[in-house]
Amino acid sequence: MAAEDERTENRGSLAERTYENLRFAIVRGELRPNERLIEVDLAERFQVSRTPVRESLQRLAVDGLVVPARRGWVVRELALDEIREIYEVREALEGRAAALAAERATAEERESILGLVAHRHVSPGENRTGGAKMVYDNDAFHTAVINACGNRRLVGQIERNVDYYYNVQVASLYNDAELATSLRQHSEIAQAIMDGDPETAESTMRRHIQDALAVILEHSSPAPRLFDEGGSSLAGPAS
């Protein structure tokens, strides 16, 4: 009985790991919009059988990341209205998280958030040469702010939407001036949290996300694609 339970648990862990790996490959752009997803190829790629791949694709369809196609699945490409909706939700949730972080963050969390923006500056052409690092730095900052809000339910809501935010393709949309504005806003948010100023933290985070959407809409033509080479969403370094 114990051996059977262990096998069941292992199968569950394998299915979950396959789902997470496949999801990551989509949202980070390793698997691109409208790319056909072949079960046998994915099974070979992730070194698993076709069963966890099939289960993962079904879950990803519920997530809205893949859609059925003739004899298989393809990576879903999101429409302009969906991009706007996602950013409106994001603005509300992360704005509130920033305000709560300013009220509730521990001294250690405040120092950590401030440290993430210290000495950060824009190098000419960084959007073209340093996209992966920009994504990493952006994720680290936003994650630190969100986790410092002291509200697990809010964190959970943001995490369920977070995969639609940022990727290397989006980073490439930013020119040097826009990237500098994004980084300055990060610094202002961090300072507001450090100072315990929830109003400034929230308003700056909201403006930050509004600006990210504006960059996407301005530079994406003819119709912005939430999933592009960067996979996740068209959120930018300002995200």
Side-chain angles (χ1 to χ4, degrees):
M1 187 67 174
E4 182 178 345
D5 289 343
E6 184 176 352
R7 285 195 296 271
T8 300
E9 182 178 348
N10 289 339
R11 284 197 297 271
S13 299
L14 180 62
E16 186 65 27
R17 187 167 66 251
T18 303
Y19 165 76
E20 292 295 343
N21 288 340
L22 184 52
R23 184 182 181 90
F24 185 85
I26 292 172
V27 301
R28 286 307 186 206
E30 297 171 21
L31 298 171
R32 301 175 63 175
N34 300 312
E35 180 173 345
R36 181 170 290 278
L37 304 173
I38 308 299
E39 285 184 10
V40 66
D41 294 341
L42 293 172
E44 182 178 352
R45 174 178 182 150
F46 296 117
Q47 297 296 294
V48 296
S49 70
R50 294 177 63 177
T51 298
V53 170
R54 187 178 304 115
E55 293 173 353
S56 298
L57 289 169
Q58 291 167 349
R59 290 179 64 184
L60 291 167
V62 174
D63 293 342
L65 296 181
V66 304
V67 292
R70 189 164 62 92
R71 294 189 300 176
W73 303 85
V74 297
V75 178
R76 181 167 175 257
E77 181 178 2
L78 298 188
L80 175 60
D81 286 345
E82 292 176 291
I83 296 173
R84 286 200 178 101
E85 289 175 357
I86 287 168
Y87 271 77
E88 288 169 355
V89 171
R90 184 181 177 201
E91 179 189 337
L93 294 179
E94 287 205 48
R96 184 57 181 157
L100 290 176
E103 294 174 350
R104 301 176 178 177
T106 65
E108 182 178 355
E109 287 172 329
R110 294 175 200 269
E111 291 288 351
S112 177
I113 291 169
L114 197 61
L116 289 170
V117 301
H119 312 301
R120 185 76 172 88
H121 63 278
V122 179
S123 301
E126 183 175 353
N127 61 327
R128 295 183 299 276
T129 61
K133 185 177 188 305
M134 290 164 62
V135 172
Y136 177 85
D137 290 346
N138 181 79
D139 286 352
F141 175 77
H142 283 269
T143 298
V145 172
I146 292 162
N147 287 340
C149 78
N151 184 317
R152 289 179 297 175
R153 290 182 183 272
L154 179 56
V155 171
Q157 288 292 329
I158 293 171
E159 286 178 345
R160 277 188 284 277
N161 204 43
V162 75
D163 281 339
Y164 296 98
Y165 289 175
Y166 190 77
N167 58 69
V168 173
Q169 176 67 15
V170 171
S172 70
L173 298 177
Y174 277 69
N175 60 39
D176 290 346
E178 290 163 340
L179 179 55
T181 296
S182 170
L183 296 180
R184 187 184 71 248
Q185 289 169 339
H186 276 196
S187 295
E188 292 172 356
I189 293 164
Q191 192 59 56
I193 292 172
M194 191 72 180
D195 294 342
D197 182 352
E199 291 79 12
T200 298
E202 178 165 7
S203 64
T204 307
M205 180 66 83
R206 282 179 170 269
R207 187 172 69 252
H208 180 60
I209 294 170
Q210 291 167 3
D211 288 351
L213 177 58
V215 168
I216 292 165
L217 300 184
E218 178 182 354
H219 293 289
S220 299
S221 177
R225 304 199 305 179
L226 199 58
F227 296 118
D228 208 312
E229 288 186 320
S232 139
S233 76
L234 295 184
S239 74

